């Protein structure tokens, strides 16, 4: 997560406490930084990046020009891990969506780019479009993450739980939901979800929680 975005989260947390963020909340924020750097708390970063969707325009299901713009945006995720130029990615994806209004992959990817830019409302709207067109576990996980970053914990829990219902191996959803539960001071539930995320191949959340003395 970019430092400026993490600083914003810290300042928001401080405002919740009135004068100064309590020590436990600061521990939570440190843990969130470690957990969410796995994927898209930076918006354009992920352990398992969105897969390119027929980038050569050969599927017959999507406008070939739209697919080319999508491919041009996709390569900005160098090695599939980090979006180097989210503004440029958004510009390409805008063109893809203009040509193919039901291109849910482009909406999902644009949502991640908007998240990387700190444009939470735009990111949430894009991921809502992606969810409506393709209600997959991954899309629900991404939208739940953005909802959490917006401060909508109830919405985040709903989306992340739905993601897990659709695919119990969705490690992102387990770890993101654990972060929400920590924010709600639900320690036992958070540790259980971190354990689930770890059992599905992503142990960073659990390892961070153990280092902070939150989970055993």
């Amino acid at each position: 997560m970019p430092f400026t975005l993490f600083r914003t989260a810290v300042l928001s947390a401080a405002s919740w406490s009135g004068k100064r963020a309590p020590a436990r909340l600061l521990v939570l924020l440190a843990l969130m930084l470690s957990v969410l750097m796995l994927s898209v708390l930076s918006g354009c970063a992920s352990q398992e990046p969105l897969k390119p969707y027929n980038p050569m325009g050969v599927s017959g299901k999507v406008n070939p020009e739209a697919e080319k713009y999508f491919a041009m945006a996709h390569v900005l995720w160098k090695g599939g891990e980090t979006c180097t130029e989210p503004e440029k990615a958004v510009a390409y994806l805008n063109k893809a969506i203009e040509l193919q209004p039901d291109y849910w992959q482009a909406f999902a990817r644009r949502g991640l780019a908007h998240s990387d830019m700190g444009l939470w409302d735009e990111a949430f709207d894009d991921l809502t479009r992606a969810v409506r067109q393709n209600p997959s576990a991954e899309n629900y996980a991404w939208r739940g993450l953005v909802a959490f970053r917006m401060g909508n914990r109830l919405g985040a829990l709903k989306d992340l739980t739905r993601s897990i219902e659709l695919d119990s191996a969705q490690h992102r959803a387990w770890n993101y939901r654990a972060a929400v539960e920590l924010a709600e001071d639900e320690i036992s539930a958070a540790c259980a979800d971190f354990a689930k995320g770890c059992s599905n191949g992503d142990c960073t959340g659990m390892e961070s929680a153990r280092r902070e003395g939150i989970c055993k």
Side-chain angles (χ1 to χ4, degrees), residues 25 31 39 56 60 71 79 84 96 102 109 112 120-121 133 139 158 163 174 177 188 203 205 207-208 210 212 216:
L25 183 54
L31 178 60
S39 53
M56 301 308 294
T84 57
D102 61 348
R109 183 68 69 171
L112 301 185
W120 313 128
D121 289 337
Q133 294 178 30
N139 283 341
K158 182 178 179 180
S163 175
W174 288 113
R177 194 173 75 171
S188 296
C203 294
E207 291 168 356
S208 297
R210 286 173 175 166
E212 297 295 338
K216 296 181 180 180

Side-chain angles (χ1 to χ4, degrees), residues 93-114:
L93 294 165
N94 286 345
K95 293 179 179 179
I97 291 167
E98 287 174 6
L99 291 164
Q100 188 74 38
D102 61 348
Y103 201 167
W104 70 261
Q105 291 89 343
F107 279 113
R109 183 68 69 171
R110 192 175 72 175
L112 301 185
H114 276 145

Side-chain angles (χ1 to χ4, degrees), residues 53-54 56-63 67:
Y53 180 71
N54 298 310
M56 301 308 294
V58 296
S59 70
K61 297 180 181 179
V62 176
N63 182 294
E67 287 191 315

